[in-house]
Amino acid sequence: MYVQELDPVGDSLGLSALVAALPLVIVLVLLGGVRMKAHLAGLTGLLAAALVAWLAYGMPLGQTVSSAAQGADFGLFPILWIVVNALWVYRMTVRTRHFDILRRSFGRLSDDPRIQALVVAFCFGALLEALAGFGAPVAICSVMLVALGFDPVRAAVVALVANTAPVAFGAMGTPVVTLAQVTGLPLDDVASVVGRQTPLLALVVPLVLVFLVDGRRGLRETWVPALVCGIAFAVAQFAASNYVSAQLADIGAALAGAGALVAVPHARVPADESVRASVLTGARSEDLDEADPHGEVLRAYAPYALIVVIFSVAQFPAVKDWLAQATRTYDWPFLNVLDPDGDPVGGNLFTWPIVSTGGTLVLLAGILTALVLGVQARVAIREWAATVHELRFAILTVTSVLALAYVMNLSGQAAAIGHFVAAAGAGLAFLSPVLGWFGVAVSGSDTSANALFGALQVTAARESGLSPELLAAANSSGGVLGKMISPQNLTIACAAVGLAGREGDLLRKVLPWSLGLLLVMCLIVVGQSSPVLGWMLP
């Protein structure tokens, strides 16, 4: 039996938190400073976390290894299970050339690369986040932007920054559902507060994207469609999360944003050739102007329509209960951990949602996609295997970083850092989103960060007299801004556009935006904790 301690280093919470942060500092320095490949940085950080857990926190070596194994297993299932199957669907559309048809369809909406970035990275990316999440939007949208003529680095940066506003409600609302479960707060209450924070990001992100694509000129010439798209997305996300369903918030927001963008006359004005020449520095696909039969266009959209239908049906209570019957719960071997209060931690048990998990639903959509697109069974299987091979280094990165996160969580390192931050008292409202940002930067998952720090945020809020719903929501809303700098997302973006090994270059480009938007979110939460913006809360 291992009992977590919050201050094992010199009986000091501050010193213990400082030591606990070493693995994270090592990973970020190796990625951003040394430019080490992400999977090597993740493995190095995992080794550091294990040594800190064993030597500084006194966790038995066997339990340290077991906790790392559980984290790696969680990284494989459900996270990578979703990513692999989502990218498999994409590879089949590429093989049958229906992805080219879809890309041409998007390209015909506007020939302005700044508008194309909004359509592909922000709107279509939000739809992919709503359905699959966990890296799939970054991978697929990056490839689409490169095909449209974007430089690979710019395409990856745009896709990473765009993957923010929809994250809290991604994968059919998994992050907020998890947050409600770990905090004991009603899902509707948590979702409604998150739905009054992340829509404010949606107002800003489209403007940031057109700036990333074309600098000040892009902002000056396309701020109207960018703002209209952001407003439509924000209003739909707010309305759905507060009055309809958290699981459907991003689907409605993505469709509303795309519809509003297409409806703005300014978005359909042909772009000046000087804009295209300066922005599209990559090789534009020569087939973008080809005409496609209407039936083939419908087949190109079919895979994503299938995903929408399957995930929507899976949310029906009767279907959801039926799928959940296949869920299995196991005692995780060689792991017996108690929290500082002497209660067993959730990590002692491992839940395997075999059928109801998003990856299995995407797999079903992939099988139906193969039938709709006419892909033979042996070809579909070969494409699935090729997807795994293509993502082999990303798989190693994700599993090592999730193993790191689990070691930090189960050994008490994460709790020590969290309690140290929670001791900020009056500054807790400002630091609360930072804690979520920190958790997502490490794990790459808003769901994982909510599981890691959600209960702590609620406890700290009650101790300081702040709203538990506000700080719980702040954990998720701040977390979405850490996604763009997470090692696995950086790796997925690099793998998608052929920049393997250049994760550090992307990190340096997106880190300022991550920190800048995080500051905005911190100020929003501070305002909502006071009379200034307190009227925004339900």
Side-chain angles (χ1 to χ4, degrees), residues 114-115 118 122-123 201-211 218-234 257 260-261 264 266-267:
R114 300 163 298 190
I115 302 301
L118 293 177
F122 188 69
C123 298
L201 287 178
L203 299 176
V204 178
V205 171
L207 298 172
V208 172
L209 294 180
V210 296
F211 178 82
L219 194 58
R220 183 176 64 253
E221 295 180 359
T222 58
W223 69 269
V224 172
L227 189 59
V228 169
C229 177
I231 291 174
F233 186 102
L261 185 60
V264 176
H266 191 77

PDB file of all heavy atoms in Angstrom, residues 114-115 118 122-123 201-211 218-234 257 260-261 264 266-267:
ATOM      1  N   ARG A 114      -7.012  32.983 -46.764  1.00  0.00           N
ATOM      2  CA  ARG A 114      -7.373  33.358 -45.390  1.00  0.00           C
ATOM      3  C   ARG A 114      -8.754  32.820 -45.031  1.00  0.00           C
ATOM      4  O   ARG A 114      -8.980  32.358 -43.901  1.00  0.00           O
ATOM      5  CB  ARG A 114      -7.306  34.882 -45.259  1.00  0.00           C
ATOM      6  CG  ARG A 114      -5.910  35.421 -45.558  1.00  0.00           C
ATOM      7  CD  ARG A 114      -5.897  36.902 -45.843  1.00  0.00           C
ATOM      8  NE  ARG A 114      -6.682  37.272 -47.015  1.00  0.00           N
ATOM      9  CZ  ARG A 114      -6.664  38.486 -47.580  1.00  0.00           C
ATOM     10  NH1 ARG A 114      -5.874  39.422 -47.083  1.00  0.00           N
ATOM     11  NH2 ARG A 114      -7.408  38.752 -48.630  1.00  0.00           N
ATOM     12  N   ILE A 115      -9.674  32.859 -45.997  1.00  0.00           N
ATOM     13  CA  ILE A 115     -11.005  32.290 -45.780  1.00  0.00           C
ATOM     14  C   ILE A 115     -10.916  30.767 -45.752  1.00  0.00           C
ATOM     15  O   ILE A 115     -11.596  30.103 -44.961  1.00  0.00           O
ATOM     16  CB  ILE A 115     -11.979  32.760 -46.877  1.00  0.00           C
ATOM     17  CG1 ILE A 115     -12.055  34.298 -46.901  1.00  0.00           C
ATOM     18  CG2 ILE A 115     -13.362  32.166 -46.640  1.00  0.00           C
ATOM     19  CD1 ILE A 115     -12.516  34.924 -45.613  1.00  0.00           C
ATOM     20  N   LEU A 118     -10.065  29.535 -42.402  1.00  0.00           N
ATOM     21  CA  LEU A 118     -11.202  29.546 -41.481  1.00  0.00           C
ATOM     22  C   LEU A 118     -12.127  28.365 -41.742  1.00  0.00           C
ATOM     23  O   LEU A 118     -12.591  27.704 -40.802  1.00  0.00           O
ATOM     24  CB  LEU A 118     -11.982  30.859 -41.619  1.00  0.00           C
ATOM     25  CG  LEU A 118     -11.266  32.139 -41.179  1.00  0.00           C
ATOM     26  CD1 LEU A 118     -12.140  33.355 -41.457  1.00  0.00           C
ATOM     27  CD2 LEU A 118     -10.909  32.078 -39.705  1.00  0.00           C
ATOM     28  N   PHE A 122     -10.730  26.054 -38.761  1.00  0.00           N
ATOM     29  CA  PHE A 122     -11.613  26.446 -37.661  1.00  0.00           C
ATOM     30  C   PHE A 122     -12.942  25.699 -37.700  1.00  0.00           C
ATOM     31  O   PHE A 122     -13.322  25.055 -36.713  1.00  0.00           O
ATOM     32  CB  PHE A 122     -11.854  27.955 -37.695  1.00  0.00           C
ATOM     33  CG  PHE A 122     -12.583  28.474 -36.494  1.00  0.00           C
ATOM     34  CD1 PHE A 122     -11.971  28.491 -35.252  1.00  0.00           C
ATOM     35  CD2 PHE A 122     -13.885  28.941 -36.591  1.00  0.00           C
ATOM     36  CE1 PHE A 122     -12.642  28.967 -34.124  1.00  0.00           C
ATOM     37  CE2 PHE A 122     -14.570  29.418 -35.482  1.00  0.00           C
ATOM     38  CZ  PHE A 122     -13.942  29.424 -34.244  1.00  0.00           C
ATOM     39  N   CYS A 123     -13.645  25.742 -38.834  1.00  0.00           N
ATOM     40  CA  CYS A 123     -14.988  25.138 -38.895  1.00  0.00           C
ATOM     41  C   CYS A 123     -14.934  23.618 -39.058  1.00  0.00           C
ATOM     42  O   CYS A 123     -15.505  22.878 -38.250  1.00  0.00           O
ATOM     43  CB  CYS A 123     -15.789  25.769 -40.025  1.00  0.00           C
ATOM     44  SG  CYS A 123     -16.064  27.552 -39.824  1.00  0.00           S
ATOM     45  N   LEU A 201     -13.391  32.712 -26.484  1.00  0.00           N
ATOM     46  CA  LEU A 201     -12.205  32.397 -27.282  1.00  0.00           C
ATOM     47  C   LEU A 201     -12.565  32.333 -28.761  1.00  0.00           C
ATOM     48  O   LEU A 201     -11.777  32.741 -29.621  1.00  0.00           O
ATOM     49  CB  LEU A 201     -11.612  31.054 -26.851  1.00  0.00           C
ATOM     50  CG  LEU A 201     -10.880  30.978 -25.521  1.00  0.00           C
ATOM     51  CD1 LEU A 201     -10.419  29.559 -25.269  1.00  0.00           C
ATOM     52  CD2 LEU A 201      -9.694  31.936 -25.511  1.00  0.00           C
ATOM     53  N   ALA A 202     -13.756  31.807 -29.039  1.00  0.00           N
ATOM     54  CA  ALA A 202     -14.186  31.666 -30.431  1.00  0.00           C
ATOM     55  C   ALA A 202     -14.304  33.015 -31.132  1.00  0.00           C
ATOM     56  O   ALA A 202     -14.218  33.086 -32.365  1.00  0.00           O
ATOM     57  CB  ALA A 202     -15.517  30.926 -30.496  1.00  0.00           C
ATOM     58  N   LEU A 203     -14.494  34.080 -30.375  1.00  0.00           N
ATOM     59  CA  LEU A 203     -14.547  35.417 -30.969  1.00  0.00           C
ATOM     60  C   LEU A 203     -13.166  35.894 -31.405  1.00  0.00           C
ATOM     61  O   LEU A 203     -13.027  36.677 -32.337  1.00  0.00           O
ATOM     62  CB  LEU A 203     -15.129  36.415 -29.963  1.00  0.00           C
ATOM     63  CG  LEU A 203     -16.552  36.158 -29.470  1.00  0.00           C
ATOM     64  CD1 LEU A 203     -16.935  37.176 -28.408  1.00  0.00           C
ATOM     65  CD2 LEU A 203     -17.533  36.190 -30.627  1.00  0.00           C
ATOM     66  N   VAL A 204     -12.139  35.399 -30.723  1.00  0.00           N
ATOM     67  CA  VAL A 204     -10.773  35.864 -30.953  1.00  0.00           C
ATOM     68  C   VAL A 204     -10.014  34.984 -31.931  1.00  0.00           C
ATOM     69  O   VAL A 204      -9.274  35.478 -32.792  1.00  0.00           O
ATOM     70  CB  VAL A 204     -10.009  35.931 -29.612  1.00  0.00           C
ATOM     71  CG1 VAL A 204      -8.557  36.369 -29.828  1.00  0.00           C
ATOM     72  CG2 VAL A 204     -10.706  36.858 -28.635  1.00  0.00           C
ATOM     73  N   VAL A 205     -10.188  33.669 -31.827  1.00  0.00           N
ATOM     74  CA  VAL A 205      -9.355  32.728 -32.590  1.00  0.00           C
ATOM     75  C   VAL A 205      -9.438  32.941 -34.100  1.00  0.00           C
ATOM     76  O   VAL A 205      -8.400  32.930 -34.776  1.00  0.00           O
ATOM     77  CB  VAL A 205      -9.708  31.277 -32.213  1.00  0.00           C
ATOM     78  CG1 VAL A 205      -9.030  30.289 -33.147  1.00  0.00           C
ATOM     79  CG2 VAL A 205      -9.287  30.994 -30.777  1.00  0.00           C
ATOM     80  N   PRO A 206     -10.616  33.143 -34.715  1.00  0.00           N
ATOM     81  CA  PRO A 206     -10.628  33.368 -36.169  1.00  0.00           C
ATOM     82  C   PRO A 206      -9.804  34.596 -36.582  1.00  0.00           C
ATOM     83  O   PRO A 206      -9.161  34.584 -37.639  1.00  0.00           O
ATOM     84  CB  PRO A 206     -12.115  33.574 -36.484  1.00  0.00           C
ATOM     85  CG  PRO A 206     -12.825  32.844 -35.396  1.00  0.00           C
ATOM     86  CD  PRO A 206     -11.990  33.051 -34.178  1.00  0.00           C
ATOM     87  N   LEU A 207      -9.809  35.633 -35.756  1.00  0.00           N
ATOM     88  CA  LEU A 207      -8.997  36.812 -36.052  1.00  0.00           C
ATOM     89  C   LEU A 207      -7.511  36.474 -35.964  1.00  0.00           C
ATOM     90  O   LEU A 207      -6.708  36.941 -36.776  1.00  0.00           O
ATOM     91  CB  LEU A 207      -9.342  37.946 -35.079  1.00  0.00           C
ATOM     92  CG  LEU A 207     -10.797  38.443 -35.141  1.00  0.00           C
ATOM     93  CD1 LEU A 207     -11.074  39.420 -34.003  1.00  0.00           C
ATOM     94  CD2 LEU A 207     -11.059  39.124 -36.488  1.00  0.00           C
ATOM     95  N   VAL A 208      -7.153  35.646 -34.982  1.00  0.00           N
ATOM     96  CA  VAL A 208      -5.762  35.207 -34.861  1.00  0.00           C
ATOM     97  C   VAL A 208      -5.358  34.395 -36.084  1.00  0.00           C
ATOM     98  O   VAL A 208      -4.236  34.538 -36.603  1.00  0.00           O
ATOM     99  CB  VAL A 208      -5.566  34.380 -33.571  1.00  0.00           C
ATOM    100  CG1 VAL A 208      -4.164  33.765 -33.537  1.00  0.00           C
ATOM    101  CG2 VAL A 208      -5.787  35.247 -32.337  1.00  0.00           C
ATOM    102  N   LEU A 209      -6.252  33.568 -36.577  1.00  0.00           N
ATOM    103  CA  LEU A 209      -5.922  32.701 -37.704  1.00  0.00           C
ATOM    104  C   LEU A 209      -5.641  33.498 -38.971  1.00  0.00           C
ATOM    105  O   LEU A 209      -4.673  33.209 -39.692  1.00  0.00           O
ATOM    106  CB  LEU A 209      -7.062  31.706 -37.958  1.00  0.00           C
ATOM    107  CG  LEU A 209      -7.319  30.679 -36.851  1.00  0.00           C
ATOM    108  CD1 LEU A 209      -8.464  29.760 -37.238  1.00  0.00           C
ATOM    109  CD2 LEU A 209      -6.071  29.869 -36.550  1.00  0.00           C
ATOM    110  N   VAL A 210      -6.474  34.488 -39.273  1.00  0.00           N
ATOM    111  CA  VAL A 210      -6.220  35.275 -40.484  1.00  0.00           C
ATOM    112  C   VAL A 210      -4.944  36.092 -40.331  1.00  0.00           C
ATOM    113  O   VAL A 210      -4.248  36.375 -41.316  1.00  0.00           O
ATOM    114  CB  VAL A 210      -7.418  36.176 -40.850  1.00  0.00           C
ATOM    115  CG1 VAL A 210      -8.636  35.327 -41.184  1.00  0.00           C
ATOM    116  CG2 VAL A 210      -7.747  37.163 -39.737  1.00  0.00           C
ATOM    117  N   PHE A 211      -4.605  36.453 -39.097  1.00  0.00           N
ATOM    118  CA  PHE A 211      -3.326  37.135 -38.859  1.00  0.00           C
ATOM    119  C   PHE A 211      -2.157  36.179 -39.089  1.00  0.00           C
ATOM    120  O   PHE A 211      -1.138  36.554 -39.682  1.00  0.00           O
ATOM    121  CB  PHE A 211      -3.278  37.703 -37.441  1.00  0.00           C
ATOM    122  CG  PHE A 211      -1.982  38.383 -37.102  1.00  0.00           C
ATOM    123  CD1 PHE A 211      -1.749  39.685 -37.495  1.00  0.00           C
ATOM    124  CD2 PHE A 211      -0.986  37.708 -36.405  1.00  0.00           C
ATOM    125  CE1 PHE A 211      -0.541  40.318 -37.192  1.00  0.00           C
ATOM    126  CE2 PHE A 211       0.218  38.321 -36.101  1.00  0.00           C
ATOM    127  CZ  PHE A 211       0.439  39.628 -36.487  1.00  0.00           C
ATOM    128  N   GLY A 218      -3.975  40.573 -43.659  1.00  0.00           N
ATOM    129  CA  GLY A 218      -5.058  39.604 -43.546  1.00  0.00           C
ATOM    130  C   GLY A 218      -6.090  40.036 -42.535  1.00  0.00           C
ATOM    131  O   GLY A 218      -7.299  39.886 -42.753  1.00  0.00           O
ATOM    132  N   LEU A 219      -5.635  40.579 -41.402  1.00  0.00           N
ATOM    133  CA  LEU A 219      -6.555  41.049 -40.373  1.00  0.00           C
ATOM    134  C   LEU A 219      -7.362  42.242 -40.874  1.00  0.00           C
ATOM    135  O   LEU A 219      -8.578  42.339 -40.638  1.00  0.00           O
ATOM    136  CB  LEU A 219      -5.767  41.416 -39.119  1.00  0.00           C
ATOM    137  CG  LEU A 219      -6.546  41.606 -37.827  1.00  0.00           C
ATOM    138  CD1 LEU A 219      -7.327  40.354 -37.465  1.00  0.00           C
ATOM    139  CD2 LEU A 219      -5.601  41.976 -36.691  1.00  0.00           C
ATOM    140  N   ARG A 220      -6.706  43.139 -41.602  1.00  0.00           N
ATOM    141  CA  ARG A 220      -7.370  44.343 -42.090  1.00  0.00           C
ATOM    142  C   ARG A 220      -8.411  44.028 -43.167  1.00  0.00           C
ATOM    143  O   ARG A 220      -9.486  44.632 -43.207  1.00  0.00           O
ATOM    144  CB  ARG A 220      -6.309  45.310 -42.648  1.00  0.00           C
ATOM    145  CG  ARG A 220      -6.866  46.642 -43.125  1.00  0.00           C
ATOM    146  CD  ARG A 220      -5.776  47.587 -43.580  1.00  0.00           C
ATOM    147  NE  ARG A 220      -5.041  47.092 -44.739  1.00  0.00           N
ATOM    148  CZ  ARG A 220      -3.801  46.618 -44.710  1.00  0.00           C
ATOM    149  NH1 ARG A 220      -3.135  46.551 -43.560  1.00  0.00           N
ATOM    150  NH2 ARG A 220      -3.210  46.192 -45.808  1.00  0.00           N
ATOM    151  N   GLU A 221      -8.116  43.054 -44.025  1.00  0.00           N
ATOM    152  CA  GLU A 221      -8.980  42.791 -45.167  1.00  0.00           C
ATOM    153  C   GLU A 221     -10.054  41.739 -44.903  1.00  0.00           C
ATOM    154  O   GLU A 221     -11.061  41.704 -45.623  1.00  0.00           O
ATOM    155  CB  GLU A 221      -8.121  42.362 -46.367  1.00  0.00           C
ATOM    156  CG  GLU A 221      -7.197  43.465 -46.868  1.00  0.00           C
ATOM    157  CD  GLU A 221      -6.362  43.012 -48.060  1.00  0.00           C
ATOM    158  OE1 GLU A 221      -6.506  41.836 -48.469  1.00  0.00           O
ATOM    159  OE2 GLU A 221      -5.596  43.825 -48.582  1.00  0.00           O
ATOM    160  N   THR A 222      -9.835  40.871 -43.908  1.00  0.00           N
ATOM    161  CA  THR A 222     -10.800  39.772 -43.696  1.00  0.00           C
ATOM    162  C   THR A 222     -11.331  39.714 -42.271  1.00  0.00           C
ATOM    163  O   THR A 222     -11.830  38.676 -41.846  1.00  0.00           O
ATOM    164  CB  THR A 222     -10.154  38.411 -44.060  1.00  0.00           C
ATOM    165  OG1 THR A 222      -8.983  38.223 -43.266  1.00  0.00           O
ATOM    166  CG2 THR A 222      -9.792  38.342 -45.526  1.00  0.00           C
ATOM    167  N   TRP A 223     -11.259  40.827 -41.538  1.00  0.00           N
ATOM    168  CA  TRP A 223     -11.734  40.788 -40.160  1.00  0.00           C
ATOM    169  C   TRP A 223     -13.261  40.615 -40.099  1.00  0.00           C
ATOM    170  O   TRP A 223     -13.777  40.019 -39.143  1.00  0.00           O
ATOM    171  CB  TRP A 223     -11.305  42.038 -39.400  1.00  0.00           C
ATOM    172  CG  TRP A 223     -11.976  43.320 -39.842  1.00  0.00           C
ATOM    173  CD1 TRP A 223     -11.544  44.195 -40.790  1.00  0.00           C
ATOM    174  CD2 TRP A 223     -13.208  43.852 -39.342  1.00  0.00           C
ATOM    175  NE1 TRP A 223     -12.426  45.235 -40.926  1.00  0.00           N
ATOM    176  CE2 TRP A 223     -13.451  45.060 -40.039  1.00  0.00           C
ATOM    177  CE3 TRP A 223     -14.122  43.437 -38.370  1.00  0.00           C
ATOM    178  CZ2 TRP A 223     -14.575  45.839 -39.797  1.00  0.00           C
ATOM    179  CZ3 TRP A 223     -15.241  44.222 -38.126  1.00  0.00           C
ATOM    180  CH2 TRP A 223     -15.456  45.406 -38.827  1.00  0.00           C
ATOM    181  N   VAL A 224     -13.970  41.084 -41.117  1.00  0.00           N
ATOM    182  CA  VAL A 224     -15.437  40.969 -41.093  1.00  0.00           C
ATOM    183  C   VAL A 224     -15.878  39.504 -41.158  1.00  0.00           C
ATOM    184  O   VAL A 224     -16.612  39.032 -40.269  1.00  0.00           O
ATOM    185  CB  VAL A 224     -16.076  41.797 -42.223  1.00  0.00           C
ATOM    186  CG1 VAL A 224     -17.585  41.505 -42.299  1.00  0.00           C
ATOM    187  CG2 VAL A 224     -15.845  43.286 -41.991  1.00  0.00           C
ATOM    188  N   PRO A 225     -15.474  38.729 -42.184  1.00  0.00           N
ATOM    189  CA  PRO A 225     -15.892  37.326 -42.186  1.00  0.00           C
ATOM    190  C   PRO A 225     -15.332  36.543 -40.998  1.00  0.00           C
ATOM    191  O   PRO A 225     -16.005  35.634 -40.486  1.00  0.00           O
ATOM    192  CB  PRO A 225     -15.347  36.773 -43.511  1.00  0.00           C
ATOM    193  CG  PRO A 225     -14.318  37.750 -43.957  1.00  0.00           C
ATOM    194  CD  PRO A 225     -14.730  39.072 -43.412  1.00  0.00           C
ATOM    195  N   ALA A 226     -14.123  36.886 -40.556  1.00  0.00           N
ATOM    196  CA  ALA A 226     -13.553  36.187 -39.398  1.00  0.00           C
ATOM    197  C   ALA A 226     -14.393  36.430 -38.155  1.00  0.00           C
ATOM    198  O   ALA A 226     -14.677  35.498 -37.379  1.00  0.00           O
ATOM    199  CB  ALA A 226     -12.109  36.637 -39.164  1.00  0.00           C
ATOM    200  N   LEU A 227     -14.797  37.674 -37.952  1.00  0.00           N
ATOM    201  CA  LEU A 227     -15.592  38.010 -36.770  1.00  0.00           C
ATOM    202  C   LEU A 227     -16.983  37.409 -36.855  1.00  0.00           C
ATOM    203  O   LEU A 227     -17.518  36.893 -35.855  1.00  0.00           O
ATOM    204  CB  LEU A 227     -15.675  39.531 -36.628  1.00  0.00           C
ATOM    205  CG  LEU A 227     -16.299  40.054 -35.333  1.00  0.00           C
ATOM    206  CD1 LEU A 227     -15.516  39.563 -34.126  1.00  0.00           C
ATOM    207  CD2 LEU A 227     -16.363  41.581 -35.340  1.00  0.00           C
ATOM    208  N   VAL A 228     -17.592  37.439 -38.043  1.00  0.00           N
ATOM    209  CA  VAL A 228     -18.924  36.846 -38.212  1.00  0.00           C
ATOM    210  C   VAL A 228     -18.882  35.351 -37.932  1.00  0.00           C
ATOM    211  O   VAL A 228     -19.758  34.795 -37.249  1.00  0.00           O
ATOM    212  CB  VAL A 228     -19.455  37.118 -39.631  1.00  0.00           C
ATOM    213  CG1 VAL A 228     -20.705  36.288 -39.916  1.00  0.00           C
ATOM    214  CG2 VAL A 228     -19.772  38.598 -39.801  1.00  0.00           C
ATOM    215  N   CYS A 229     -17.842  34.694 -38.446  1.00  0.00           N
ATOM    216  CA  CYS A 229     -17.681  33.251 -38.202  1.00  0.00           C
ATOM    217  C   CYS A 229     -17.535  32.978 -36.710  1.00  0.00           C
ATOM    218  O   CYS A 229     -18.166  32.062 -36.174  1.00  0.00           O
ATOM    219  CB  CYS A 229     -16.458  32.749 -38.963  1.00  0.00           C
ATOM    220  SG  CYS A 229     -16.063  31.013 -38.691  1.00  0.00           S
ATOM    221  N   GLY A 230     -16.711  33.781 -36.035  1.00  0.00           N
ATOM    222  CA  GLY A 230     -16.498  33.604 -34.605  1.00  0.00           C
ATOM    223  C   GLY A 230     -17.744  33.842 -33.789  1.00  0.00           C
ATOM    224  O   GLY A 230     -18.043  33.099 -32.838  1.00  0.00           O
ATOM    225  N   ILE A 231     -18.510  34.868 -34.170  1.00  0.00           N
ATOM    226  CA  ILE A 231     -19.746  35.175 -33.439  1.00  0.00           C
ATOM    227  C   ILE A 231     -20.756  34.044 -33.593  1.00  0.00           C
ATOM    228  O   ILE A 231     -21.385  33.610 -32.619  1.00  0.00           O
ATOM    229  CB  ILE A 231     -20.341  36.512 -33.928  1.00  0.00           C
ATOM    230  CG1 ILE A 231     -19.446  37.684 -33.488  1.00  0.00           C
ATOM    231  CG2 ILE A 231     -21.755  36.697 -33.388  1.00  0.00           C
ATOM    232  CD1 ILE A 231     -19.871  39.033 -34.049  1.00  0.00           C
ATOM    233  N   ALA A 232     -20.925  33.555 -34.825  1.00  0.00           N
ATOM    234  CA  ALA A 232     -21.882  32.468 -35.058  1.00  0.00           C
ATOM    235  C   ALA A 232     -21.476  31.214 -34.292  1.00  0.00           C
ATOM    236  O   ALA A 232     -22.316  30.540 -33.674  1.00  0.00           O
ATOM    237  CB  ALA A 232     -21.967  32.166 -36.555  1.00  0.00           C
ATOM    238  N   PHE A 233     -20.181  30.897 -34.323  1.00  0.00           N
ATOM    239  CA  PHE A 233     -19.678  29.739 -33.585  1.00  0.00           C
ATOM    240  C   PHE A 233     -19.937  29.914 -32.094  1.00  0.00           C
ATOM    241  O   PHE A 233     -20.423  28.994 -31.419  1.00  0.00           O
ATOM    242  CB  PHE A 233     -18.174  29.590 -33.853  1.00  0.00           C
ATOM    243  CG  PHE A 233     -17.550  28.353 -33.274  1.00  0.00           C
ATOM    244  CD1 PHE A 233     -17.269  27.264 -34.080  1.00  0.00           C
ATOM    245  CD2 PHE A 233     -17.223  28.267 -31.922  1.00  0.00           C
ATOM    246  CE1 PHE A 233     -16.689  26.115 -33.557  1.00  0.00           C
ATOM    247  CE2 PHE A 233     -16.652  27.133 -31.384  1.00  0.00           C
ATOM    248  CZ  PHE A 233     -16.384  26.048 -32.211  1.00  0.00           C
ATOM    249  N   ALA A 234     -19.611  31.094 -31.562  1.00  0.00           N
ATOM    250  CA  ALA A 234     -19.751  31.354 -30.132  1.00  0.00           C
ATOM    251  C   ALA A 234     -21.202  31.275 -29.681  1.00  0.00           C
ATOM    252  O   ALA A 234     -21.515  30.671 -28.647  1.00  0.00           O
ATOM    253  CB  ALA A 234     -19.167  32.732 -29.804  1.00  0.00           C
ATOM    254  N   GLY A 257     -20.840  28.181 -37.624  1.00  0.00           N
ATOM    255  CA  GLY A 257     -19.707  29.001 -38.054  1.00  0.00           C
ATOM    256  C   GLY A 257     -19.481  28.907 -39.546  1.00  0.00           C
ATOM    257  O   GLY A 257     -19.251  29.933 -40.220  1.00  0.00           O
ATOM    258  N   ALA A 260     -22.376  30.711 -41.436  1.00  0.00           N
ATOM    259  CA  ALA A 260     -22.257  32.171 -41.375  1.00  0.00           C
ATOM    260  C   ALA A 260     -21.127  32.665 -42.269  1.00  0.00           C
ATOM    261  O   ALA A 260     -21.252  33.700 -42.937  1.00  0.00           O
ATOM    262  CB  ALA A 260     -22.011  32.600 -39.928  1.00  0.00           C
ATOM    263  N   LEU A 261     -20.037  31.915 -42.295  1.00  0.00           N
ATOM    264  CA  LEU A 261     -18.895  32.325 -43.110  1.00  0.00           C
ATOM    265  C   LEU A 261     -19.248  32.310 -44.590  1.00  0.00           C
ATOM    266  O   LEU A 261     -18.915  33.246 -45.337  1.00  0.00           O
ATOM    267  CB  LEU A 261     -17.717  31.384 -42.836  1.00  0.00           C
ATOM    268  CG  LEU A 261     -16.385  31.716 -43.497  1.00  0.00           C
ATOM    269  CD1 LEU A 261     -15.893  33.083 -43.050  1.00  0.00           C
ATOM    270  CD2 LEU A 261     -15.342  30.662 -43.159  1.00  0.00           C
ATOM    271  N   VAL A 264     -21.468  35.309 -45.708  1.00  0.00           N
ATOM    272  CA  VAL A 264     -20.917  36.673 -45.769  1.00  0.00           C
ATOM    273  C   VAL A 264     -20.425  36.959 -47.181  1.00  0.00           C
ATOM    274  O   VAL A 264     -19.531  36.259 -47.677  1.00  0.00           O
ATOM    275  CB  VAL A 264     -19.758  36.838 -44.763  1.00  0.00           C
ATOM    276  CG1 VAL A 264     -19.136  38.222 -44.893  1.00  0.00           C
ATOM    277  CG2 VAL A 264     -20.252  36.614 -43.348  1.00  0.00           C
ATOM    278  N   HIS A 266     -18.494  39.132 -48.322  1.00  0.00           N
ATOM    279  CA  HIS A 266     -17.078  39.486 -48.338  1.00  0.00           C
ATOM    280  C   HIS A 266     -16.194  38.247 -48.440  1.00  0.00           C
ATOM    281  O   HIS A 266     -15.089  38.304 -48.986  1.00  0.00           O
ATOM    282  CB  HIS A 266     -16.737  40.271 -47.069  1.00  0.00           C
ATOM    283  CG  HIS A 266     -15.379  40.895 -47.097  1.00  0.00           C
ATOM    284  ND1 HIS A 266     -15.101  42.032 -47.814  1.00  0.00           N
ATOM    285  CD2 HIS A 266     -14.199  40.519 -46.513  1.00  0.00           C
ATOM    286  CE1 HIS A 266     -13.819  42.356 -47.653  1.00  0.00           C
ATOM    287  NE2 HIS A 266     -13.249  41.451 -46.868  1.00  0.00           N
ATOM    288  N   ALA A 267     -16.689  37.110 -47.921  1.00  0.00           N
ATOM    289  CA  ALA A 267     -15.878  35.891 -47.926  1.00  0.00           C
ATOM    290  C   ALA A 267     -15.768  35.287 -49.318  1.00  0.00           C
ATOM    291  O   ALA A 267     -14.869  34.483 -49.573  1.00  0.00           O
ATOM    292  CB  ALA A 267     -16.475  34.860 -46.962  1.00  0.00           C
TER     293      ALA A 267
END
